Structures are given as C-alpha cells and as structure tokens.
Amino acid sequence: MAPTSLVVTIEKNLMEINGSDSLLLPEKQKAASPKQLTWVLLLKAHRALFFFSWFAITVKTLFASVKKRIAHADVNEEGSKSRGKLYRFIKAFLAISIAGLIVELVAHFKKWNLRMIHPLELEVHGLLQWFYVSWLSFRVDYIAPLVLMLSKFCIVLFMIQSLDRLVLCVGCFWIKFKKIKPIIQDDAYDLEDASTFPMVLVQIPMCNEREVYAQSIAAACELDWPRNRILIQVLDDSDDGNLQRLIKEEVLSWNEKGVNIVYRHRLIRTGYKAGNLKSAMACDYVKDYEFVAILDADFQPNPDFLKLTVPHFKGNPQLGLVQARWAFVNRDENLLTRLQNINLCFHFEVEQQVNGAFLNFFGFNGTAGVWRTEALEESGGWLERTTVEDMDIAVRAHLKGWKFIFLNDVKVLCELPESYEAYKKQQHRWHSGPMQLFRLCLPSIITSKISIWKKTNLIFLFFLLRKLILPFYSFTLFCVILPLTMFIPEAELPLWVICYIPVFMSLLNILPSPKSFPFLIPYLLFENTMSVTKFNAMVSGLFQLGSSYEWIVTKKTGRSSESDFLAFAERESKTTNEEKILRRHSESGLQLLSKLNQQEKQMGSKKKRNKVYRKELALAFLLLTASARSLLSAHGVHFYFLLFQGLSFLVVGFDLIGEQMN
C-alpha cells in the first residue's frame, strides 16, 4: 500500500498542508524557541507594567494636586460672586444634562436608536420605552426647532465676526505690502535748538505699585527730551503711608539731579484712574504744556519714546493722539502669558494698525500714548463714569473730529498678568466697561456731526460687533448650544462651525506672533474658556449690574527680562554732556522697603491663595457630560472637541494655569 500522500502548496506567505504524517519545515521557518517566546512575553509584560504604573502615578499625582488645590483654595470670595443668575443657569443646565445622560445610557444599553429622528418608527415595548419615545417626539416637535433657530442665529453672528476679522487681516497684509507708515516731517524740530521742542507733560498714574514704581519713574526721567521742556507728574493714589514715603523719596532723588518731576497724592481718592488724571489736569501749570504723555506704572519706554511720537503732531493740527505699541517682558513666563501675547499681538498689529491707517480712529489703550492737550480739553477731559476711561476719551475725541495715529514700530515694555485671578479681573473690566460706555455714548454718537460711515463704524463695528456680539456668540454657541445639541441630534452643529472655521480664525490670530504656532489648539480652547468671563462682564456692563463698577489694579511683579537689561545697558553706555543720573535709596528708604516686604510676607498666607472658580468647573462638568453623550452616538470630532474643551475648563476652574501660588 502506498504511503499516505502529502501535498504541500506554498503561495507567497500561505501554506496549505494535507497529510497526517509529520512534516519537517525548513530551518528558516522553524517556530521560535520557548526561551525566545518567554523573553518576548516578559518584554511586553514589562512595557505594559511600566505604562500602567506611569499612568497610575500620573492619575494619583493629578488627583492629589486637585485635592490639595481644593483644600487650600479660597472659595469664599469667588463663591459669593458666582451666586448670580448665570451660575444658577449653568448648574441647572448641568443637572438636566446629567439626567439626560442617564436616560441615554439606559437607551444605549437597551439598544434603542439614539439617533432616531422619527420616533414613531420605534416599536414600543414596555412603559420605560414609551416614556423615551414620548421624549423623542416632544424633542423633535418643540425643542429642536428652537435650538435650531438659536444656533442659526449664532452661526450668522459667528460668520459676520469672522468676516470682520478676515477683512482686518487683509488690511494688515495690505499695509505691509504697500509699506504704509506714518511719516514724520524732516524739519519737525531743530535738534540743535532746544527751544523748538514743544512742552511735554509726562503723567505716571499709580496705586500701590510697590514692585514697579522705581523702574517706571526711572524710565520716565531718562527720556531724551530737553530738561526745560518736560515735566513729570507722579500721580500716586497709594493708601499705604510707607509706600507713599518711598515714592516721595524716589521723586526727590531724581529732582535733586535736575529732573523736573513732581509728586502728587490725592486726599479724596474717587474715580480710580480717571479721577487721578482729572485731578492732575486741573493744575494751573498744565496749560503751559502742549502735549501729555501717559505711562502706567509698569511701562518702561525707551529714551527716544518722545522723539518718535511727538514729532508726528508737527504740521498735523487735527491729530489728537499718537499711540505706541506694547511689548511684554514676561510673555514667555508661563502658558497664560503666552496665550495673552497671542491676543494682544493681534490686537495691536492688526486691529489698532488697520483702524489707525484707514479710519484714523481706534480705542486708546490707556497708556503708552501722547495726547494733544487741546484735544483732551475739547473732548471734555477725563470722566469717571465708566471703568474704561481711555476708551471713553477716545470716542469723545473722535466725535469732535480729532484723528489718531498708531505706531506699530514704537514699542513700550510692560507686563502681562501672570496669574489667572489677575487676568480674569482685568478681562472683566475690559469687557464690562465698553458696554457701560455704549449705553452712555449712543445718544451722542447719533446726534454728532460726524459722517454716517463713522457713526456706523462706531455703533456696529466698534461697539456691537467687537464688544457685544463676540462674547455673546462665543459663550452661547460653544458653551450652551454645542453641549445641548448632543442631547438633541436633530439640531447638531455642522463640523465646519466647531472645527474648520474656528481653527482657521485662530490661525489668523497667531500670524502676528508666528512663534506661538505650537499653541494654536490651546489658544482656541482657552479663548472659548474665557468666553464665560467675557459674557458675564458684557451682561453686567450692558445692564448696569454691580460688578460692572469694579476696578482692581492688575497685580505687577516688577519682572525684568534680558531685553530690559540690554536696553538699560545701552542707555548707560551713551555718552552725554549731562551728568549721569543714578537712582538710590537712603537708609530710611531701605528700612521702609524692608518693612513693606515683611508685611507682604506676613500677609502672603492670606493673599496668595489659589481659588476655585465655580462657573468654570460647572461648565467643565457640563461639557464632559455632553462629551460622554457624544461618545454613545459616535459623533467623532464633536466628542473630541467637547472632551478637550471640558478639560480646558477643568484646568482653569482649579486655577492650574498661570502663576502657581503656595
């Protein structure tokens, strides 16, 4: 009998074996030895063990950090402010969303169709499913149309605002392409004859600026301008007697060196910065000065600041303001300052520059600018009616026909807020004040004698579109409607609304600061996170709520960068015929400074407390709940957006961004 036949067919990597006898494979195709297999399994087990141990340690560290943050957080102040209608709305929305998620989880495990558009197509089995089908029917007939209408309205606003931003970017590109710049007349001033220079008053308003008062006074005193044609006013609103004496001594030391500098302190401190400036302008000697330069306490202009700004007024009698750009010494300090730098670079290089070049109008930034004294007086001077006195005086000057110039190439060093608490308070003031001003200025704008185009620009572009519509649609669309549509799939937002257009607009925002490109996604998420603060501020300013009148001086650190030291070294290396001015502190001054430092250390445990922001945390859990619902229906990009946006709110809510306090 013939032996059992054996047929082996090999095609590429496929092998077909027929037969019952043993088969001797070629040497190269032998299976791995047990020892090799053991080593492979041990290696994979080691990698898996390392990953899980790393993940466990990371989660443990994160939860420990959050637990510690909550235990040491100061929730009383934030909590009292959060008990408003917006916070109650977010909490109610969150509770409904959690209840809706539970219902949808039941529907998911019951294998009901979560995307069912026509609920009558479902075959009802049992009372629970009947309730679910009834909810679907009610949702389709009554809730979805309202959500669709609101979402379409917000999308229209979103597209209008995006178009406005795109036009601004095109205008900025045109300025760079055509190299459009404000030009100084060649014969503006005779450098050999100091008498041809106009009289300039430099004002430094400050309030409890212990960290930066010395460097700001020094920078102003080192301005390259004839000594007999300049006067520096130090407008101190500090309420600490020791700090007042330190500032007085600093002023005296510069005065002894021949600098025309005076110290002013108000006994009745009303009106915040506007009241301070108004009081200073009431001095009799102010009428002798043709121009007023304003520098906040943390601003350090280069010595040539006045020579780069004041000459623009020569031969231009309608020019009322010359505004310089801000530059930040701490822009790379942490993630918060990097994100702020993106925003402000776009504001100055695109918004301010384009509006200044094509409209001769923009909002005064409150500092690093030079005003014609006549323009201030004709516009009514500084008023204390809002928390944005700089925007107020700019609008009133524009209504009087004065023109503005923005100098993108002239930069003045300053600081960015390094803690989220300071940044949030600053943004609240910057977004509530314009709405106060809009209510007050609207009748004046309508009845003014400026052209219809300028009135339209002021009302619809300057105020409504950029100050009201932007925070409204950002919060409503991405923090309310988007999570709501996860439970109402009939009104689901298209992908281009939540992904393509926002990413493109964020890319445009980053163009003025190209080094910030790696922070594109964090910037997009953070801007949506800040929308709750901006929306709340906008509403409080529009309806004159109590929080709209808050004014808290932004905390300064007195931080200096390498560029500061280089600029200072250049200033010191310049040879002049005048005696070099050296700042100094007497022994009594050093004692006062030491005393202030000790007071700060004693109060540090009370002041330097991280906060827990309840509105942000509530929105974080709301978005994470919506992302869980999105995961059930496999929404894809919607899920990832909601997940990362929720995590962004969570980070901000626990105050884990910016300067970390002990």
Side-chain angles (χ1 to χ4, degrees):
M1 185 176 180
T4 305
S5 61
L6 175 64
V7 179
V8 179
T9 305
I10 300 177
E11 182 178 355
K12 291 185 180 180
N13 294 328
L14 300 178
M15 179 181 292
E16 181 182 347
I17 302 177
N18 294 324
S20 57
D21 290 355
S22 61
L23 175 66
L24 296 176
L25 294 174
E27 187 68 18
K28 292 183 179 180
Q29 296 182 359
K30 285 184 178 180
S33 66
K35 186 176 181 180
Q36 291 175 328
L37 183 60
T38 302
W39 278 109
V40 171
L41 293 177
L42 284 174
L43 181 60
K44 291 185 177 180
H46 178 266
R47 290 179 178 175
L49 183 63
F50 174 78
F51 171 77
F52 284 115
S53 63
W54 171 83
F55 183 76
I57 292 173
T58 303
V59 172
K60 182 180 178 181
T61 304
L62 178 62
F63 276 99
S65 176
V66 171
K67 184 179 179 181
K68 183 179 179 181
R69 180 57 50 84
I70 295 174
H72 294 280
D74 182 8
V75 297
N76 294 329
E77 182 183 355
E78 179 63 19
S80 63
K81 294 179 181 179
S82 298
R83 296 191 187 104
K85 293 182 180 179
L86 180 60
Y87 181 54
R88 290 197 293 268
F89 167 76
I90 295 173
K91 287 200 301 182
F93 191 9
L94 174 59
I96 295 173
S97 299
I98 292 175
L101 179 62
I102 294 173
V103 172
E104 298 294 350
L105 282 172
V106 173
H108 175 74
F109 287 109
K110 291 283 187 179
K111 296 184 179 180
W112 299 335
N113 190 352
L114 299 181
R115 285 180 169 271
M116 181 59 65
I117 305 299
H118 303 288
L120 296 179
E121 296 179 4
L122 281 174
E123 185 178 354
V124 179
H125 298 286
L127 183 62
L128 183 61
Q129 191 173 8
W130 180 83
F131 277 114
Y132 183 69
V133 172
S134 300
W135 152 247
L136 291 181
S137 179
F138 179 79
R139 186 182 77 188
V140 171
D141 294 336
Y142 299 101
I143 300 180
L146 295 176
V147 176
L148 272 172
M149 183 172 61
L150 180 60
S151 64
K152 289 180 180 179
F153 176 68
C154 289
I155 289 174
V156 170
L157 297 180
F158 176 39
M159 296 306 298
I160 294 174
Q161 196 274 334
S162 299
L163 180 62
D164 172 64
R165 185 152 297 193
L166 182 61
V167 170
L168 288 174
C169 290
V170 172
C172 183
F173 172 77
W174 184 256
I175 289 173
K176 290 185 178 296
F177 179 72
K178 291 292 185 177
K179 298 181 180 179
I180 301 174
K181 288 183 180 180
I183 300 175
I184 299 176
Q185 293 184 6
D186 294 334
D187 57 344
Y189 302 114
D190 185 0
L191 298 179
E192 302 296 332
D193 185 5
S195 62
T196 62
F197 284 70
M199 300 287 286
V200 177
L201 177 66
V202 179
Q203 296 179 329
I204 310 176
M206 59 176 63
C207 180
N208 298 323
E209 308 282 5
R210 184 182 67 83
E211 297 83 3
V212 295
Y213 76 91
Q215 65 190 39
S216 64
I217 293 174
C221 291
E222 292 173 354
L223 288 172
D224 187 10
W225 202 256
R227 292 284 181 86
N228 61 342
R229 313 296 291 177
I230 185 174
L231 174 65
I232 299 170
Q233 282 183 324
V234 178
L235 312 176
D236 181 27
D237 259 4
S238 303
D239 54 9
D240 189 309
N242 292 330
L243 181 57
Q244 292 175 26
R245 287 193 290 273
L246 278 175
I247 299 175
K248 285 181 183 178
E249 184 179 330
E250 183 74 12
V251 171
L252 180 60
S253 68
W254 286 101
N255 188 263
E256 291 174 350
K257 296 295 183 180
V259 177
N260 292 326
I261 183 171
V262 295
Y263 173 87
R264 282 182 52 84
H265 179 77
R266 295 189 298 161
L267 298 177
I268 302 177
R269 299 170 55 246
T270 58
Y272 303 113
K273 181 180 175 181
N276 199 359
L277 293 171
K278 182 179 180 180
S279 174
M281 293 298 293
C283 297
D284 293 335
Y285 55 78
V286 171
K287 65 179 182 295
D288 298 328
Y289 293 86
E290 187 177 355
F291 303 106
V292 179
I294 301 175
L295 299 168
D296 280 356
D298 60 318
F299 279 70
Q300 305 171 58
N302 288 327
D304 59 354
F305 171 72
L306 292 179
K307 288 187 174 181
L308 294 176
T309 54
V310 175
H312 285 278
F313 291 97
K314 187 71 178 293
N316 196 351
Q318 292 300 312
L319 182 61
L321 168 67
V322 175
Q323 173 73 61
R325 178 175 175 170
W326 299 0
F328 310 106
V329 300
N330 60 339
R331 63 183 181 183
D332 297 326
E333 185 62 27
N334 54 45
L335 178 60
L336 179 61
T337 57
R338 291 176 185 272
L339 299 179
Q340 291 179 69
N341 180 62
I342 295 173
N343 243 347
L344 290 171
C345 283
F346 182 87
H347 170 69
F348 286 111
E349 189 158 342
V350 179
E351 293 179 346
Q352 299 285 77
Q353 187 173 206
V354 170
N355 288 324
F358 296 105
L359 301 176
N360 295 122
F361 168 72
F362 47 82
F364 175 46
N365 296 119
T367 179
V370 181
W371 278 93
R372 190 187 294 271
T373 307
E374 182 185 352
L376 290 175
E377 294 174 350
E378 185 180 335
S379 304
W382 298 101
L383 298 181
E384 307 167 13
R385 56 183 182 172
T386 70
T387 58
V388 283
E389 74 294 325
D390 45 7
M391 186 181 294
D392 189 358
I393 190 68
V395 170
R396 286 184 281 119
H398 182 56
L399 295 179
K400 291 292 183 179
W402 292 99
K403 296 180 180 181
F404 301 166
I405 283 179
F406 178 77
L407 302 178
N408 191 56
D409 296 332
V410 181
K411 300 179 180 180
V412 181
L413 290 174
C414 62
E415 286 188 21
L416 290 166
E418 295 184 9
S419 68
Y420 178 69
E421 179 187 4
Y423 180 62
K424 183 175 182 179
K425 291 176 180 177
Q426 181 197 71
Q427 292 300 303
H428 188 279
R429 176 165 57 88
W430 285 4
H431 286 81
S432 64
M435 290 298 98
Q436 297 175 359
L437 183 61
F438 179 64
R439 288 171 56 101
L440 296 170
C441 284
L442 184 59
S444 301
I445 295 173
I446 295 175
T447 59
S448 65
K449 297 180 180 180
I450 61 175
S451 65
I452 297 295
W453 159 242
K454 290 183 178 180
K455 291 181 181 180
T456 304
N457 172 65
L458 265 179
I459 296 174
F460 292 103
L461 293 180
F462 186 75
F463 278 113
L464 290 181
L465 184 60
R466 297 167 189 164
K467 304 297 188 298
L468 187 148
I469 290 177
L470 177 58
F472 170 77
Y473 88 74
S474 296
F475 174 75
T476 307
L477 191 61
F478 296 108
C479 299
V480 177
I481 294 178
L482 179 58
L484 187 61
T485 56
M486 295 300 99
F487 299 92
I488 308 174
E490 298 83 3
E492 183 176 308
L493 293 174
L495 197 58
W496 58 270
V497 172
I498 66 169
C499 181
Y500 302 144
I501 300 297
V503 170
F504 177 70
M505 300 313 299
S506 298
L507 186 61
L508 291 181
N509 271 36
I510 285 181
L511 287 180
S513 52
K515 292 183 180 179
S516 301
F517 182 77
F519 302 95
L520 174 65
I521 300 303
Y523 171 75
L524 172 60
L525 296 174
F526 182 70
E527 280 302 292
N528 290 336
T529 304
M530 285 303 300
S531 65
V532 61
T533 297
K534 296 176 181 179
F535 176 81
N536 191 33
M538 181 268 293
V539 172
S540 66
L542 189 62
F543 296 102
Q544 301 288 316
L545 303 180
S547 60
S548 63
Y549 296 97
E550 291 180 350
W551 179 292
I552 299 175
V553 178
T554 305
K555 184 180 181 299
K556 317 295 192 311
T557 63
R559 191 183 306 279
S560 295
S561 66
E562 293 181 2
S563 59
D564 290 309
F565 294 120
L566 290 174
F568 184 77
E570 288 178 1
R571 283 181 247 163
E572 290 296 306
S573 64
K574 291 181 179 179
T575 56
T576 61
N577 295 327
E578 299 175 354
E579 180 184 0
K580 283 189 177 181
I581 299 174
L582 299 177
R583 294 189 288 116
R584 53 116 177 111
H585 282 299
S586 66
E587 292 184 3
S588 61
L590 292 174
Q591 291 174 357
L592 286 174
L593 190 60
S594 176
K595 187 176 181 180
L596 287 174
N597 290 333
Q598 290 178 359
Q599 289 178 356
E600 186 183 16
K601 289 180 180 179
Q602 292 174 358
M603 300 177 64
S605 59
K606 295 182 180 180
K607 288 185 176 180
K608 291 189 176 183
R609 305 279 284 189
N610 290 95
K611 294 183 179 295
V612 171
Y613 299 97
R614 297 187 178 185
K615 285 193 288 289
E616 283 80 357
L617 285 180
L619 277 168
F621 294 127
L622 170 63
L623 291 168
L624 292 175
T625 302
S627 69
R629 171 61 180 85
S630 176
L631 183 62
L632 295 178
S633 300
H635 279 93
V637 175
H638 293 72
F639 163 73
Y640 291 108
F641 181 86
L642 287 165
L643 175 63
F644 288 111
Q645 189 64 71
L647 293 175
S648 175
F649 269 103
L650 199 64
V651 168
V652 172
F654 283 122
D655 197 12
L656 296 172
I657 188 173
E659 180 187 37
Q660 296 301 299
M661 301 179 182
N662 297 322

